[in-house]
Structure formats: C-alpha cells, structure tokens
Amino acid sequence: MVLYTAPFPNSCLSALHAVSWALIFPCYWLADRLVASFIPTTYEKRQRADDPCYLQLLCTVLFTPVYLALLVASLPFAFVGFLLWSPLQSVRRPYIYSRLEDKGLAGGAALLSEWKGTGPGKSFCFATANLCLLPDSLARLNNVFNTQARAKEIGQRIRNGASRPQIKIYIDSPTNTSISAASFSSLVSPQGSDGVAKAVPGSIKRTASVEYKGDGSGRHPSDEAANGPAAGEPAEGSLEDACIVRIGGEEGSRPPEADDSVAGGQARNGAGGAPQGQTPNHSQRDGDSGSLGSPSASRESLVKVRAAADGGGSGEPGATNSKFPYKASGVKKAAARKRRHPDEAFDHEVSAFFPANLDFLCLQEVFDKRAAAKLKDQLHGYFEYILYDVGVYGCQGCCSFKCLNSGLFFASRYPIMDVAYHCYPNGRRSDGLASKGALFLKVQVGSTPQDQRIVGYISCTHLHALPEDSAIRCEQLDLLQDWLADFRKSTSSSSTANPEELVVFDVICGDFNFDNCSSDDKLEQQHSLFTHYKDPCRLGPGEEKSWAIGTMLDTDNLYDEEVCTPDNLQKVLESEEGRREYLAFPTSKSPGAGQKGRKDLLKGNGRRIDYMLYAEEGLCPDWKAEVEEFSFITQLSGLTDHLPVAMRLMVSAGEEEA
C-alpha cells in the first residue's frame, strides 16, 4: 500500500489549498483570539486575583476593539478563501504520513532484524492519551490554554519519558520470596559483557525520583526530573551513564553481575549517548521484556541520585565506581508494585513518566493542524513513523459539514505497512463538526527465518462525546468492529509470492467517552466488543479491578498546587482521598445529582474513559499475547485533562512456553 506523504495528489492542488488557507487563516485566528480573551482559565483567574493590576485584563479591554475591527475587515477574504478551499477537500487524502529518514542503527528497519519469532518471546509497549489540542478558544472550555506551546511541551515530555536512561536496581536478598514467579519476566536485569540480559533473583523494577544537584543554570531540579533535559541540551551527566544501586541484603550475597566496576558500561540501552532530537538505540533482544516502569521518576522512590561534586570520570567501559559521576545518596523504599487483586498476573502502577522503550503511541484530540505539526516535530526525536492530520473536511465522506479533522495521531518505532481511516457517519450536534472516526494500522515488527512477516494490528478511535447519546456510541462500536474485520481481511497476505504472515497482536485504544462504573453507561458496558477484546482493568460490566483508576481529571482543579507536577499528581492519585478530589466521577441524568454532590458517596476510582484493549483470539495459531504491565501516567499534568495510559504486551509462542 502507498502511504500518503502529502495531503493532495499533486503540487498544483497543494498550492491552491495553501492560497485558500492563507485567505482564511487571518479571520480564523482573529476569531479564535477574540473568543479566547473572554474565556479565562482558573490559572488566569488566580493570577488576576493575586495581582489586581493584572495586565491581561488591560490587554483584553484594549485589544478587543482592534480584534473586532480586523475580524470584520478579514471576512471578505475569508469568504473567497472558503469558496476555493471547500471543493478541494473532495480530493484531499485522509492523513499525512511522515517518516524521519536516516535513522541509522536505531531505525525501524534495524528493529525488524532483531526478532525472528524465536526464543521466549518479545514485548511491545503501547500508550494512548487525549491531549485536548483544540483551537485555543475551544480548549479553554476544558480549562486548558495556549495550544501551540502545550503541543511542543507535550511532545518534549513524551519523547524524554520514552527515551530516558534506565537506573538499574538490584536487591541482594536471597531470602526474599515476596515476588511471585510471574513477575520475573518484567524485571530489570543487568547485562553481561556480551550484552545479553541475565536474570538476577530478587531484582525489582520501579519508577524512582531522580534529583540532580543544581548547576547554576537556574533550572529547578524537579522541573528536569519531570520533563527531561531542555530541548537542544544534552542530558544531565551524559546519558551514557546510569546508576546501579544495591539495596542491601546479607553481606556477601550480592550477585556477581551487579559489580560496581561495570557501572559505566552497562545501562546504556535507555538513551545511550544520543544527542537531543535523535532517536537513541532502544533495540530489544529476544526475550527482553523491556521496561514499562523503568526507574526514572516516582514519589515512592527506591533511590535518590545526586551529581557528585567533582563529577569526574573517564566514561570508559569498566571504569571503577569512584569515577562514576553519580552516587546513591539514600534509599526510601524497596517494594515491588502491588498486585491488589489475588488473581492478577501483571504489574500495575501510577507512573510519573511515560514508559521507557515505548513502541506505539495513539493520541486523540490533536485537532489543531499547527499544534499537530509541532507535536510531530518533537516526537520525531524518538518515533520514526508518524501519521497526523487524520480525517476529512467539508461535506465529503460524512453526512454533515466537518470543520475539524478526527484529532487522531499515531506514532511508531516500527514500519507502518497499511493504513485505513473511516469517519463515523452518525455524529450529532457539536460532535458532528469534527470528523471523529477510527484509524486502522498494520505494522511489521519482525520476520521469521523463513521470511514470513511478523505483523500486528492497532486501531485508534475517539467515540461520540455527548453523555446522553449511548445508542450513538454503541453504533460506532459496531462500525469499529466491522471496519476492523474488513481491514484485516483486505490487508492479509497468504499468496505464494507473499508468504503467510504471523499476526502476533491486535490492539484497540482510544477515548471511548463512557466508563465502566456509571449506571448511565450500561448499554456500552455490555457491548460485544468486550467479548472479543479484553480490557486489563475490567472484571465485567460495571465492575472494575480494585487498582484501576479514572483517566478523566476534574477540570476545575487542573492547576492546584497539589497536582501541578507529575510527581505531585502521582502522589495524589495513589490515595483514595486524592482520587475523590481530583478525578472526574460519573454523573447522573437525574436532576440535582451533580458530580460535586456525589463525590463523597462514591467509592469508585473515577471515570475511566481512555481504554486499551487487546485480542486473545484471531492471532497466529500457537501464539498468544499477555499483558505484562499496565500504568496510569501523570507526566502530562497541567497540559491536558486526561491521564495517559500505557500497556506492555508480551507475545510468545505457546509451544515455546510449554
């Protein structure tokens, strides 16, 4: 399949579209700024309260007449531009494909050669997030603002979270039997000189706060711990290095692989030495389970790391620990992540960082095209393949006129083979102005020694938002299943020229706009989609697992000091009182049953409307996919009103495990 790298089939149409948009844009921008000036966020209201002479109020009074006059003057040009722009949408392609060339050893082509479908299996990490990157006037309805700056910051945080170095922590406790055998597949292990991961009994993996000593630059240490290094700067202390910390057990019980002498040469698989803006080598060997919660940022830290005063060191492999620029300064807590349900077979946590070695990223509500371009530029520092500006405009393809695209955005470290997009035809009222739909992708993740392709399917969607329209969402779920079945059938390959492919995972993720707790969402909770795809957070219709939390934040409290940083938000969401205060809870259609009055009566963990589902059927025979880790992520605190979620799947051949 040919992937579209430009929105129009030829340069002439692209030029006409550029001219039409140049005529429309001044009117669009002025209208957006004019409306935005009358919708202050709670952050701006607090600034005005603290400073009665706040300049924003003065600017609003002075510039409103100017904006209004310029808006009226730009209307004739916008009308001419619209007459030119509208018919062009009938030939516009439904997405733009962007590939960052010259990725070298870290590229997708190199990743394909690493897994041959043999060995104990391979893990793949998926994440999804609703970013609320709307035009600024519309974004303010959700109490977020400055869409362009947020897009850039979001891209930096995701990139720095996924490419951060790993801090390896080993527990010298041969008598410790609290970690179940099922958890050992996800433990961080040291590597020998041959680069092959070696198991260390008692090892645990956990996100950990990292604090750096001030360097006089004026940046607060907590800011760098939350967001990673500033754009264009090398990571603090050089990403070539990592900290290896022993959490004491009995004297003489340390594993031979954890010697301090190998500290300089071992933990280089995180963001090893790559400058900012380039994808480091995150390759995984057969059997490497990766690191969903790779130690880098968490309130419940296992270790605090500070820069040594003299910070010297040769950086050579095998250098002694005295030359290593970091040293362990304290141990707060050593505990494996809790499995609160007795039958739980995988790890789960609230994490302050996006998972390290993230493979696939599905985003929703990236509606603003300029913000999408900024986000793409930032994410290309880690993801080689990106799809953005997904959707249709105008009257073609769907029933009503579409002012906004679908808001869907996809990024991948692995090559994309096929793509399909479908617009839901039944959107109503305000939702009908956006071309909400479903994006279907087929990616190649490896090849067998017999040259059979190893592939996976990923679907990203955003369902109807209005809470009273349950029937519409159920119709969209029906369409989602039908479209996915057609996509898999049309893209399957079984001819002699194309050997049969091995399908190793099938994942659906996105913002479904209903939760599994509300009594008003019973129709969606019982949909047949949940019989074909498994939700790791759900026990059944209306029944969540005890550790699952809501992904929709209470928009009124987005800028409270208690939740203004990833670390603070993580701390809050780890307590029931904090979740009740800062998460959105199900509301009722009955009068007088608003969210504020119901919070004290609810024992749930908030509205979970962002889903990650995976199929256990429809895969290659003798292959299975199992959840290895699941996390709720707070790294985008203050930038969006949703919590991102991440899931790591381990795919393996059943006969190998037998």
Side-chain angles (χ1 to χ4, degrees):
M1 178 179 179
V2 177
L3 299 174
Y4 304 130
T5 57
F8 293 94
N10 58 63
S11 57
C12 180
L13 293 175
S14 296
L16 287 174
H17 180 266
V19 170
S20 67
W21 185 244
L23 294 171
I24 295 172
F25 181 76
C27 182
Y28 160 80
W29 186 85
L30 288 165
D32 185 47
R33 297 311 312 152
L34 185 62
V35 175
S37 63
F38 291 97
I39 311 177
T41 63
T42 56
Y43 176 81
E44 293 168 329
K45 290 178 181 178
R46 289 171 187 172
Q47 283 189 319
R48 295 179 185 180
D50 294 339
D51 182 7
C53 298
Y54 184 51
L55 292 178
Q56 180 64 36
L57 184 60
L58 180 62
C59 291
T60 300
V61 173
L62 293 178
F63 285 101
T64 294
V66 177
Y67 283 149
L68 191 57
L70 292 175
L71 177 62
V72 173
S74 65
L75 283 175
F77 298 97
F79 180 73
V80 174
F82 178 79
L83 293 179
L84 181 61
W85 174 87
S86 186
L88 288 174
Q89 303 314 304
S90 61
V91 293
R92 181 189 174 275
R93 291 159 172 172
Y95 61 84
I96 301 177
Y97 168 73
S98 176
R99 180 183 179 187
L100 186 64
E101 301 289 349
D102 193 22
K103 297 293 291 184
L105 296 176
L111 290 176
L112 294 183
S113 63
E114 293 180 0
W115 191 41
K116 300 296 183 181
T118 58
K122 186 173 178 65
S123 64
F124 299 96
C125 189
F126 308 80
T128 183
N130 182 313
L131 302 184
C132 198
L133 291 177
L134 287 150
D136 198 48
S137 56
L138 298 179
R140 286 168 176 267
L141 298 176
N142 289 340
N143 201 26
V144 290
F145 63 108
N146 206 341
T147 295
Q148 306 306 316
R150 281 194 301 116
K152 184 176 180 180
E153 178 69 13
I154 287 170
Q156 289 177 350
R157 291 197 188 186
I158 295 175
R159 182 192 66 198
N160 292 332
S163 62
R164 71 191 190 275
Q166 298 180 2
I167 299 176
K168 299 178 183 293
I169 300 175
Y170 310 124
I171 308 299
D172 293 346
S173 181
T175 60
N176 182 9
T177 58
S178 62
I179 303 177
S180 66
S183 69
F184 276 80
S185 62
S186 62
L187 301 179
V188 175
S189 304
Q191 292 180 344
S193 58
D194 58 355
V196 178
K198 298 181 180 180
V200 178
S203 298
I204 64 172
K205 172 165 59 81
R206 175 69 171 165
T207 53
S209 291
V210 180
E211 297 180 0
Y212 297 98
K213 187 175 291 184
D215 58 359
S217 64
R219 285 205 311 270
H220 194 279
S222 63
D223 295 337
E224 184 151 336
N227 305 333
E233 296 182 8
E236 182 81 10
S238 174
L239 295 183
E240 289 184 345
D241 303 307
C243 180
I244 296 184
V245 181
R246 289 178 56 248
I247 297 180
E250 300 176 5
E251 282 296 329
S253 63
R254 61 188 289 173
E257 293 85 3
D259 288 341
D260 294 337
S261 61
V262 297
Q266 278 184 352
R268 297 190 178 185
N269 62 342
Q276 285 286 346
Q278 296 183 6
T279 302
N281 186 358
H282 287 267
S283 59
Q284 294 174 308
R285 300 179 182 275
D286 289 352
D288 181 12
S289 63
S291 176
L292 182 63
S294 180
S296 229
S298 170
R299 181 182 65 86
E300 293 184 0
S301 59
L302 295 177
V303 64
K304 291 183 179 179
V305 182
R306 299 183 184 276
D310 50 5
S314 63
E316 296 177 357
T320 61
N321 193 47
S322 62
K323 296 184 179 181
F324 190 65
Y326 298 128
K327 62 180 180 180
S329 63
V331 175
K332 292 175 64 179
K333 188 175 180 180
R337 277 170 287 183
K338 296 179 181 179
R339 294 184 180 84
R340 299 178 185 175
H341 193 271
D343 298 327
E344 202 63 86
F346 57 87
D347 292 331
H348 46 80
E349 69 170 347
V350 178
S351 172
F353 263 43
F354 273 83
N357 299 328
L358 179 62
D359 296 308
F360 307 102
L361 178 66
C362 298
L363 303 175
Q364 302 85 46
E365 289 200 12
V366 188
F367 288 115
D368 188 276
K369 292 195 289 186
R370 291 185 297 149
K374 290 180 173 64
L375 183 63
K376 169 187 69 74
D377 292 341
Q378 292 297 325
L379 291 179
H380 259 325
Y382 180 79
F383 294 100
E384 183 174 355
Y385 310 92
I386 290 179
L387 288 174
Y388 68 106
D389 197 11
V390 178
V392 296
Y393 298 91
C395 294
Q396 56 96 19
C398 295
C399 298
S400 59
F401 185 87
K402 305 298 180 184
C403 300
L404 299 172
N405 60 27
S406 69
L408 301 178
F409 185 108
F410 178 77
S412 171
R413 292 173 62 214
Y414 289 89
I416 300 172
M417 300 177 63
D418 292 285
V419 179
Y421 160 79
H422 295 278
C423 177
Y424 292 127
N426 57 350
R428 295 181 185 175
R429 285 170 284 182
S430 58
D431 253 28
L433 298 176
S435 58
K436 285 186 175 181
L439 180 66
F440 304 98
L441 305 112
K442 179 181 178 181
V443 294
Q444 183 176 358
V445 296
S447 59
T448 68
Q450 294 77 31
D451 291 329
Q452 291 176 297
R453 287 191 293 264
I454 304 176
V455 302
Y457 287 91
I458 306 170
S459 305
C460 179
T461 189
H462 189 185
L463 301 185
H464 191 74
L466 300 181
E468 63 272 16
D469 292 333
S470 294
I472 292 179
R473 281 187 289 275
C474 286
E475 291 174 10
Q476 292 177 347
L477 289 175
D478 291 337
L479 291 171
L480 176 68
Q481 291 188 94
D482 294 341
W483 289 337
L484 178 55
D486 292 341
F487 179 69
R488 288 195 57 167
K489 183 177 180 180
S490 64
T491 58
S492 64
S493 175
S494 59
S495 64
T496 304
N498 271 322
E500 185 176 356
E501 297 164 334
L502 304 180
V503 179
V504 294
F505 62 77
D506 183 356
V507 173
I508 298 176
C509 55
D511 183 350
F512 285 10
N513 273 311
F514 66 85
D515 62 71
N516 196 41
C517 297
S518 174
S519 59
D520 296 329
D521 293 335
K522 286 184 177 180
L523 194 62
E524 298 98 312
Q525 295 163 10
Q526 299 171 358
H527 194 272
S528 62
L529 177 71
F530 295 102
T531 63
H532 302 294
Y533 288 83
K534 189 170 182 179
D535 181 355
C537 302
R538 159 179 159 135
L539 290 173
E543 186 179 5
E544 295 276 82
K545 294 182 179 178
S546 59
W547 52 265
I549 66 173
T551 60
M552 192 172 181
L553 299 172
D554 187 344
T555 56
D556 292 338
N557 301 323
L558 291 180
Y559 304 107
D560 286 6
E561 184 178 354
E562 290 82 357
V563 294
C564 63
T565 67
D567 210 47
N568 286 354
L569 181 56
Q570 180 195 31
K571 178 180 179 180
V572 163
L573 295 182
E574 287 175 342
S575 68
E576 183 176 351
E577 295 79 7
R579 292 191 292 270
R580 195 178 300 144
E581 178 70 20
Y582 289 101
L583 290 180
F585 277 74
T587 57
S588 175
K589 298 174 186 176
S590 59
Q595 176 179 307
K596 294 296 182 182
R598 288 165 49 91
K599 278 191 172 183
D600 291 337
L601 302 176
L602 293 170
K603 297 182 180 180
N605 288 329
R607 294 201 70 200
R608 185 176 62 88
I609 65 175
D610 298 274
Y611 288 76
M612 302 201 77
L613 313 177
Y614 69 100
E616 293 182 312
E617 56 189 39
L619 306 182
C620 179
D622 300 326
W623 282 76
K624 64 179 180 178
E626 296 178 317
V627 176
E628 193 174 44
E629 297 166 348
F630 196 96
S631 60
F632 300 88
I633 301 163
T634 64
Q635 195 176 1
L636 301 185
S637 63
L639 298 176
T640 181
D641 58 339
H642 286 242
L643 281 181
V645 294
M647 174 179 69
R648 182 171 291 279
L649 279 183
M650 170 62 75
V651 297
S652 58
E655 57 185 14
E656 292 284 346
E657 301 224 342

